[in-house]
Amino acid sequence: MSDQTSDMRETVRRRYAAAATAVTEGGSACCGPSPVEVDDNFGSTLYTADDRDTLPPEAVAASLGCGNPTAVADLNEGERVLDLGSGGGIDVLLSARRVGPAGKAYGLDMTEEMLALALANAAKAGAGNVEFLKGTIEAIPLPAATIDVVISNCVINLSTDKTAVFAETFRVLRPGGRIGVSDVVADDQLTTEERAERGDYVGCIAGALSFTEYRRGLEAAGFTDIEITPTHAVGDGMHSALVRAVKPRTTAAAASPPGGTCCGVNACCTPDEEATDPGTTAGEAKAAAGCGCAG
């Protein structure tokens, strides 16, 4: 990791650690903790009153997103959901209710203070089907092909390696799995410099991809059925958008002879085969790739 990337990640971490601390230790409004101060285009007002009223006030106060991904992810009973950059846990708790006791909702965050807040909120909500993980969205600490739906709320734009985020999201999804993401997206004509003029990186503006860049990034990772739908403006030429995409149930087997590398496996289709990713098994790698030699 370059020094610039490391510095940016630390800047983002400090900003969200401070937000969590403000909710945990800050003053209270008449009916609960004071919400973190954000622009009107971000935060808990983007959720319905019914959603907000069913959650611990600390989860609502810590909401910093640009949308409500749970409203478009079409979650079903029994599914396993992963929220990238779960913050105070608002989307994890809403997802947990939608998937029910037979399902599970994971939250992934790199910030200790946010994880502590999310765990406290889960306890207050009595949510038994949630689990919070510490880690980065560029290296998700879950096995391949184990998640039905990946959601995220205005977090992918904060990553300095979005290619890795898309690849990791594709890896952990089971074949046929899908994403439902809220994120900030820029008009195609805006240059990187023009995006930076409209807002800083930790404010979810400077690091945003354009519509075309976002689509190409998802396509390169292997996603299909990609839809990127703007919902409201967050700046001149900058939009909050809903992003949907699907991991295909099957993909064409790589043209590689037995013993070569295909489907994320070395020595493919031989007794000596092993996953190229040491964190997965050969079977998991094949299943995640939808490989024709998955047997």
Side-chain angles (χ1 to χ4, degrees):
M1 182 187 300
S2 70
D3 289 343
Q4 183 178 8
T5 297
S6 180
D7 290 346
M8 183 58 69
R9 179 177 288 176
E10 177 58 18
T11 299
V12 171
R13 188 202 66 77
R14 286 199 303 267
R15 191 260 173 141
Y16 288 92
T21 300
V23 171
T24 303
E25 300 178 357
S28 295
C30 65
C31 303
S34 300
V36 177
E37 186 174 344
V38 290
D39 184 277
D40 289 343
N41 296 308
F42 299 84
S44 61
T45 57
L46 300 174
Y47 294 81
T48 67
D50 286 345
D51 278 344
R52 296 195 302 268
D53 291 346
T54 61
L55 296 170
E58 292 81 2
V60 176
S63 175
L64 296 165
C66 58
N68 178 3
T70 63
V72 299
D74 191 25
L75 303 179
N76 301 305
E77 287 277 342
E79 289 188 316
R80 296 164 71 88
V81 184
L82 169 64
D83 180 18
L84 301 180
S86 48
I90 185 170
D91 294 315
V92 174
L93 297 178
L94 290 173
S95 297
R97 291 188 176 184
R98 286 166 170 77
V99 300
K104 188 165 185 177
Y106 293 93
L108 174 63
D109 207 283
M110 67 176 182
T111 308
E112 290 278 5
E113 293 84 350
M114 277 295 185
L115 288 167
L117 177 60
L119 286 168
N121 287 332
K124 290 173 183 176
N129 60 337
V130 305
E131 182 176 347
F132 289 97
L133 307 168
K134 184 179 181 182
T136 68
I137 61 176
E138 297 87 0
I140 300 171
L142 286 172
T146 54
I147 298 297
D148 296 295
V149 187
V150 171
I151 63 173
S152 186
N153 196 348
C154 207
V155 171
I156 294 175
N157 64 76
L158 294 171
S159 173
T160 56
D161 189 355
K162 297 174 181 64
T163 298
V165 176
F166 294 146
E168 278 290 273
T169 300
F170 190 87
R171 180 185 67 82
V172 300
L173 280 170
R174 63 170 179 77
R178 61 200 186 277
I179 67 171
V181 167
S182 294
D183 213 358
V184 173
V185 184
D187 284 341
D188 287 335
Q189 68 268 25
L190 291 184
T191 65
T192 300
E193 292 74 21
E194 288 171 332
R195 296 170 214 176
E197 292 171 358
R198 286 155 171 76
D200 61 13
Y201 208 99
V202 296
C204 304
I205 301 297
L209 296 174
S210 71
F211 284 91
T212 296
E213 290 166 346
Y214 217 118
R215 178 176 295 276
R216 287 176 177 169
L218 291 170
E219 288 174 342
F223 286 100
T224 60
D225 300 325
I226 299 167
E227 299 177 6
I228 306 175
T229 307
T231 57
H232 60 275
V234 297
D236 182 15
M238 308 294 295
H239 311 269
S240 174
L242 299 175
V243 182
R244 300 178 178 89
V246 176
K247 177 175 180 175
R249 292 188 179 276
T250 59
T251 58
S256 178
T261 298
C262 70
C263 306
V265 175
N266 292 320
C268 187
C269 304
T270 75
D272 297 323
E273 67 180 8
E274 60 180 14
T276 56
D277 179 354
T280 65
T281 67
E284 288 173 339
K286 289 180 177 183
C291 187
C293 59

